[in-house]
Amino acid sequence: DTEVSEKHPGLGNRDLVAELVGEGEKRGVVFVPYVPVDADQRAFREHPDWAYRHADGGVSESGSMPFCCLNSPFRDFMADYLTELAANYAIGGFWFDGLGVRMCHCDYCQEDFRRIAGRDLPTDFEKDQDAWMLWGERREAIALDLIKQWRARIDAVKPGLPFVGNFGMGNMRMETRFLGGDLTILS
């Protein structure tokens, strides 16, 4: 049950997270929820301007799940959701997926890039590699700032809860672990 996101209608009265925590406790296993941090149906439906956008304006999605840009107010939505999970369940941390450096062209990213570079976002890597790399560096900084923001919010309700996840940029993909706000490269 969640006040931030929405429960899958197929669950009815079930609280799946509570069930998984309980079953794990019976077996001596600590439950760590998998959280796709760049996708939420309710957030997208209520705030389509939060969507990741391709250079042509199209929405970036996987199947029917649209991705939301972590450079938009969606980051605060996810902070609320993660804080809700940490406060209400005996979880052992978070497994983040989707924390990456997707080349988004939404209005929030366009404005951010204009602020740092004084121009529109690049649309073609081959024609504008320097600007593309600058945007990649900025997206990485956004992701790391995001982890710090989430760390502060979650530590307020459950200090030191581990963060683990994947962080990637295009074909460069690093598996990383975020513990206590530190970033450690695993591979």
Side-chain angles (χ1 to χ4, degrees):
D1 293 324
T2 173
E3 293 181 21
V4 180
S5 186
E6 64 188 0
K7 185 176 184 176
H8 189 283
L11 289 173
N13 291 328
R14 292 178 63 190
D15 183 336
L16 186 58
V17 176
E19 289 178 27
L20 293 169
V21 168
E23 289 301 314
E25 287 174 348
K26 289 179 190 176
R27 293 165 175 79
V29 175
V30 176
F31 177 66
V32 176
Y34 162 85
V35 182
V37 297
D38 62 352
D40 186 276
Q41 291 284 359
R42 177 182 179 188
F44 175 77
R45 186 176 60 251
E46 293 179 6
H47 305 278
D49 60 307
W50 293 357
Y52 270 114
R53 300 277 173 184
H54 298 293
D56 66 5
V59 173
S60 180
E61 61 186 352
S62 176
S64 65
M65 179 61 79
F67 294 116
C68 293
C69 180
L70 294 170
N71 198 23
S72 76
F74 179 69
R75 68 188 298 151
D76 298 320
F77 175 94
M78 281 307 299
D80 291 343
Y81 180 66
L82 297 169
T83 302
E84 180 185 59
L85 278 169
N88 294 325
Y89 297 98
I91 59 175
F94 290 104
W95 169 259
F96 295 145
D97 192 13
L99 182 64
V101 189
R102 219 177 245 115
M103 293 305 181
C104 180
H105 285 78
C106 74
D107 290 343
Y108 299 99
C109 290
Q110 286 283 7
E111 182 179 321
D112 191 30
F113 194 72
R114 283 185 200 112
R115 183 183 54 76
I116 66 166
R119 57 169 286 200
D120 287 342
L121 280 166
T123 57
D124 186 322
F125 177 78
E126 294 302 322
K127 293 179 181 174
D128 205 350
Q129 291 182 20
D130 291 340
W132 197 268
M133 294 309 290
L134 176 63
W135 184 233
E137 291 169 9
R138 176 67 185 135
R139 294 293 297 180
E140 182 177 330
I142 290 165
L144 295 175
D145 287 345
L146 180 64
I147 288 296
K148 291 175 187 173
Q149 174 193 352
W150 291 351
R151 165 64 52 213
R153 288 283 303 278
I154 292 165
D155 278 353
V157 297
K158 198 171 279 180
L161 205 58
F163 296 174
V164 178
N166 285 328
F167 180 86
M169 175 179 167
N171 292 332
M172 281 178 13
R173 192 142 180 93
M174 300 176 292
E175 191 165 308
T176 55
R177 176 175 45 190
F178 310 95
L179 297 171
D182 295 329
L183 173 66
T184 306
I185 304 298
L186 296 178
S187 62

